[in-house]
Amino acid sequence: MELTNRPRRLRSNPTLRKMVRETRMDPSSLVYPMFVTEGSNKKEEIPSMSGQYRYSVDRMEEKLIELQNAGVSSVMLFGIPEEKDACGSGAYAEDGIVQKAFRKAKEACPGLYLIGDVCMCEYTSHGHCGVLKGQDVDNDQTLELLAKTALSQVQAGADMVAPSDMMDGRVAAIRQLLDANRYENVPIMAYSVKFASSFYGPFRDAADSAPAFGDRKTYQMDFHNRREAKKEALLDVAEGADLLMVKPAMAYGDLIREIKDLTNLPMAAYSVSGEYAMVKTTAAAGFIDETNILCEMAVSAYRAGTDIYITYFAEELAKCMKEGRIG
């Protein structure tokens, strides 16, 4: 048979397959989400996220060094306070749990790049992402507290802040306060397209942040909506976001690609707790190969346009990249 085009020619040898690979990855693009809790000498496994832990500040160094040794250079910190109140004051307290964690991380591993998740849900007694007015979050009143939270994290050592609350106007409010305090060079990675997703369940267990009533559908996005996702991303660009994020990652590759092409800003994707838990539990049952699956999930996100991949599998993926299994 006379065939001019034979695509299999470029698949005939492992060296050639890697040479013509279209999607390339590097451990520098990985971000590990880490939970820090009050107390001392704590390393508590999260029941719904096998292999993931809450660390007290005095125990976090061991994990940070482990990540660095694997090649992971960026960490996003989430704080779990001992006490909560209606206005989430622990989120912006100078001696708050996440602020203490940033100081410790900077001291222990100064080479790590530290990112602060800016939200109120872990710190409010009602579990919602801002100050309540009746049964809903008061958008404009919450903006001031989010900006204060971002500023307090930067003052404690955060290199970047990432607002995840989905309040209207929060990027502008944070940018204005950071600039006013001479932090004009600190970038904002906006959770621009964050859906009200069932994939978040294990995180709420990990961070003790489940809403005491209702849900978050009045501020997080309806996952049916594509045009709204583009609108949210463009609003954050106009307000001064330096990087954008789509969350979750696995089911939203179409929007990762579309928003990357639309905005031309660096694109992050968060492979969330539900994605992690599904892989771990299914692998534990012997139904899938865990390493192959987590690699394939990562490649799908990068192929869609991800530049920064936030994942609980960061350490494992860094090792796979170094070994040449992916990347």
Side-chain angles (χ1 to χ4, degrees):
M1 182 180 292
E2 293 186 9
L3 291 177
T4 303
N5 294 306
R6 291 183 180 268
R8 288 184 57 190
R9 291 189 192 111
L10 298 182
R11 305 174 195 148
S12 60
N13 177 278
T15 301
L16 180 59
R17 286 195 297 271
K18 192 166 185 178
M19 188 186 304
V20 299
R21 184 171 287 170
E22 298 175 21
T23 302
R24 299 186 182 273
M25 297 167 285
D26 185 87
S28 64
S29 64
L30 296 169
V31 177
Y32 179 73
M34 185 172 181
F35 301 98
V36 186
T37 188
E38 297 280 9
S40 60
N41 196 30
K42 287 184 179 180
K43 181 184 177 182
E44 306 168 339
E45 188 166 26
I46 299 164
S48 57
M49 298 178 68
S50 174
Q52 298 300 309
Y53 299 85
R54 303 181 192 94
Y55 297 86
S56 55
V57 171
D58 62 330
R59 290 289 302 274
M60 65 186 296
E61 182 176 354
E62 61 193 74
K63 182 62 178 179
L64 297 177
I65 292 173
E66 185 179 296
L67 289 164
Q68 278 193 313
N69 289 340
V72 178
S73 56
S74 300
V75 176
M76 179 180 284
L77 294 181
F78 296 85
I80 305 166
E82 192 168 19
E83 297 182 0
K84 306 185 180 195
D85 57 35
C87 60
S89 61
Y92 45 87
E94 184 178 350
D95 62 346
I97 178 59
V98 83
Q99 287 78 7
K100 289 187 286 190
F102 277 120
R103 294 187 188 99
K104 176 62 177 179
K106 272 297 180 196
E107 173 192 328
C109 299
L112 277 178
Y113 193 84
L114 304 177
I115 304 170
D117 176 82
V118 178
C119 196
M120 313 293 292
C121 63
E122 300 109 297
Y123 304 92
T124 56
S125 51
H126 46 75
H128 280 281
C129 298
V131 180
L132 291 181
K133 185 176 183 180
Q135 296 290 297
D136 198 13
V137 175
D138 186 314
N139 189 94
D140 294 5
Q141 189 178 351
T142 299
L143 294 182
E144 180 182 353
L145 301 184
L146 292 169
K148 286 176 63 177
T149 299
L151 178 62
S152 72
Q153 292 182 358
V154 172
Q155 289 172 332
D159 299 297
M160 176 190 291
V161 290
S164 62
D165 55 284
M166 287 301 287
M167 296 299 116
D168 294 339
R170 86 269 202 216
V171 172
I174 291 170
R175 184 76 275 157
Q176 183 177 5
L177 189 60
L178 290 180
D179 289 0
N181 284 271
R182 306 297 299 274
Y183 292 110
E184 61 273 3
N185 290 324
V186 172
I188 298 173
M189 177 167 62
Y191 286 66
S192 299
V193 181
K194 181 179 178 181
F195 291 95
S197 172
S198 297
F199 282 99
Y200 302 151
F203 176 92
R204 292 170 184 172
D205 173 36
D208 188 25
S209 63
F213 62 88
D215 53 41
R216 296 179 176 141
K217 292 182 179 179
T218 64
Y219 42 102
Q220 294 179 0
M221 288 179 52
D222 183 344
F223 56 77
H224 295 78
N225 294 355
R226 171 179 156 270
R227 292 195 305 272
E228 186 183 22
K230 293 162 67 176
K231 178 176 74 173
E232 287 280 6
L234 290 172
L235 284 170
D236 285 350
V237 172
E239 290 178 22
D242 301 284
L243 310 91
L244 306 180
M245 186 195 301
V246 171
K247 180 182 178 184
M250 187 169 65
Y252 298 90
D254 58 327
L255 293 173
I256 294 171
R257 168 50 58 195
E258 192 159 9
I259 290 165
K260 174 75 172 289
D261 291 344
L262 176 69
T263 64
N264 253 346
L265 286 186
M267 174 62 60
Y270 196 147
S271 182
V272 297
S273 59
E275 298 172 48
Y276 175 88
M278 286 193 299
V279 172
K280 295 296 288 189
T281 54
T282 311
F287 298 142
I288 61 170
D289 182 292
E290 179 177 314
T291 302
N292 286 342
I293 288 288
L294 68 91
C295 287
E296 188 171 339
M297 287 169 56
V299 170
S300 74
Y302 285 95
R303 189 180 63 240
T306 296
D307 301 297
I308 299 163
Y309 193 50
I310 304 164
T311 173
Y312 303 97
F313 285 122
E315 188 174 345
E316 293 87 341
L317 283 168
K319 292 175 182 176
C320 289
M321 290 176 187
K322 287 183 174 181
E323 292 167 2
R325 294 187 63 161
I326 56 171

